[in-house]
């Protein structure tokens, strides 16, 4: 049976500054092909991201492109897997802005992630049509 996909209009924009301090669950899809940006060539990570707490709790960003290099490094080895952590800023190098990074999730954070995954699976099943 064919696996049909709709044409892509591009991924959701990830508002990093608005998500700072939030618990995020990344479903790491792939590393994108190289693309030109205002800062030069980049090979972002593509991920579906769920916001599990904070002001934007409950939002999802599908096929979001993750450009910050430190975040890419934290996600690259987990393609095809899920990563959970809190979004924050690391220590800046001289003359640079602090890098965006994920800090390790606590056991309580991981429990929230597990509840989210169960809920998400139930939602997908409930939306399925019998034909």
């Amino acid at each position: 049976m064919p696996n049909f996909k709709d044409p892509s209009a591009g991924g959701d924009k990830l508002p990093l500054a608005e998500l700072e301090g939030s618990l995020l669950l990344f479903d790491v899809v792939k590393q994108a092909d190289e693309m030109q940006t205002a800062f030069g060539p980049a090979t972002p990570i593509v991920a579906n991201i769920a916001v599990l707490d904070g002001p934007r709790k409950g939002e999802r960003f599908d096929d979001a492109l993750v450009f910050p290099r430190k975040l890419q490094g934290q996600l690259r080895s987990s393609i095809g897997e899920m990563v959970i952590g809190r979004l924050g800023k690391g220590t800046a190098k001289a003359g640079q802005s602090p890098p965006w990074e994920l800090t390790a999730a606590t056991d309580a954070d991981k429990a929230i992630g597990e509840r989210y995954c169960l809920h998400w699976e139930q939602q997908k099943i409930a939306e399925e049509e019998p034909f």
Side-chain angles (χ1 to χ4, degrees), residues 79-97:
I79 292 173
E81 299 177 319
M82 293 187 147
V83 175
I84 189 170
R86 287 204 176 270
L87 183 65
K89 291 184 178 179
T91 304
K93 294 181 180 178
Q96 296 184 0
S97 299

Side-chain angles (χ1 to χ4, degrees), residues 23-51:
L23 181 63
L24 304 179
L25 180 65
F26 290 77
D27 177 7
V28 186
V29 178
K30 65 181 181 178
Q31 183 160 12
D33 294 332
E34 185 175 287
M35 59 183 68
Q36 290 299 318
T37 71
F39 302 103
T43 52
I45 297 292
V46 179
N48 298 316
I49 303 161
V51 183

Side-chain angles (χ1 to χ4, degrees), residues 1 4-5 7 15 23 28 30 37 39-41 45 60 64 66 76 84 91-92 107 128 130-131:
M1 175 174 281
F4 297 112
K5 290 183 68 173
L23 181 63
V28 186
K30 65 181 181 178
T37 71
F39 302 103
I45 297 292
R60 283 183 51 89
V66 179
R76 188 173 291 113
I84 189 170
T91 304
D107 288 341
E128 288 181 2
F131 50 87

Side-chain angles (χ1 to χ4, degrees), residues 28 47 64 78 100 119:
V28 186
S78 299
W100 289 105
H119 174 76

Side-chain angles (χ1 to χ4, degrees), residues 60 119-131:
R60 283 183 51 89
H119 174 76
W120 182 250
E121 282 301 314
Q122 291 171 349
Q123 291 288 86
K124 289 193 322 193
I125 290 170
E127 292 174 1
E128 288 181 2
E129 301 224 13
F131 50 87

